[in-house]
Amino acid sequence: MSDPHPDSAPRRRRDVPVGVVMVGIAAVAWWPAFTLGAWEEIFFDDILGLWAASTAAFVFVLVERRPVGGRLARAFVLLLPTVWLVLNFAISGETTDLAVAIVDLAALLAVLLGIPFTLWVLVRVVWPDFASETRRRTKWLIALVVLGIAVTSFVLGLNQEHFLTCEDFTISGNSEPPGCTPAPPD
């Protein structure tokens, strides 16, 4: 008996890396979005993890064999977490509210632009033909799924008191976010 879908195996093999990319990016993006909702900030370890990945991607972009123009633009965006880090050293704790606002804005830009862009560059490092082999519709699907998960994670963080207790955060090694629900007495 012949296979009614002779092209299904090659298509399935091609779809697996797309699924891995989608799941991987979503797995990285959910926690910073949740912490922003629950604690109204993104934790330093998330930003420093982003800094490490974006710095490695920055070096790769500088040495990859492509025309310089496009590489420099990507390299600049990959430096956003480094800009945030440098601003933290340059602006002391006894500065004006404007300086603190600038550092906070740099952190927000580093995360909002840095996470997706760094992940995109890392995907291109691991899978160089991703851009040319993947249809535009599939790329949009990945972006929308990851954005949907990030937005949902943020909303879950905002509403953590409805499904988590303060003890859940303590047991997991996190601090209790403002407004968390105390555990019911035994």
Side-chain angles (χ1 to χ4, degrees), residues 16-163:
V16 168
V18 169
V20 170
V21 167
M22 187 183 305
V23 170
I25 293 174
V28 170
W30 84 270
W31 180 246
F34 182 84
T35 63
L36 186 60
W39 285 274
E40 298 181 2
E41 65 180 88
I42 297 172
F43 296 153
F44 74 91
D45 53 340
D46 294 323
I47 296 175
L48 289 176
L50 170 63
W51 169 80
S54 68
T55 300
F58 169 78
V59 172
F60 176 80
V61 164
L62 289 181
V63 299
E64 73 180 324
R65 295 180 185 122
R66 294 182 149 215
V68 174
R71 286 188 302 151
L72 292 179
R74 289 184 312 178
F76 173 75
V77 176
L78 289 167
L79 281 178
L80 284 173
T82 300
V83 169
W84 167 80
L85 198 56
V86 168
L87 283 173
N88 272 294
F89 279 99
I91 299 175
S92 70
E94 300 174 12
T95 58
T96 65
D97 289 339
L98 177 61
V100 171
I102 290 171
V103 171
D104 289 345
L105 178 62
L108 187 62
L109 285 174
V111 170
L112 291 179
L113 295 175
I115 286 176
F117 195 78
T118 299
L119 291 172
W120 179 258
V121 169
L122 294 176
V123 165
R124 302 268 321 258
V125 167
V126 174
W127 185 8
D129 298 327
F130 176 77
S132 62
E133 291 180 358
T134 306
R135 295 183 307 224
R136 182 176 297 193
R137 185 176 83 190
T138 303
K139 292 175 197 171
W140 276 107
L141 175 65
I142 292 170
L144 290 173
V145 166
V146 171
L147 180 63
I149 289 171
V151 168
T152 301
S153 296
F154 175 75
V155 171
L156 287 171
L158 287 174
N159 294 287
Q160 47 74 27
E161 70 277 2
H162 297 292
F163 64 99

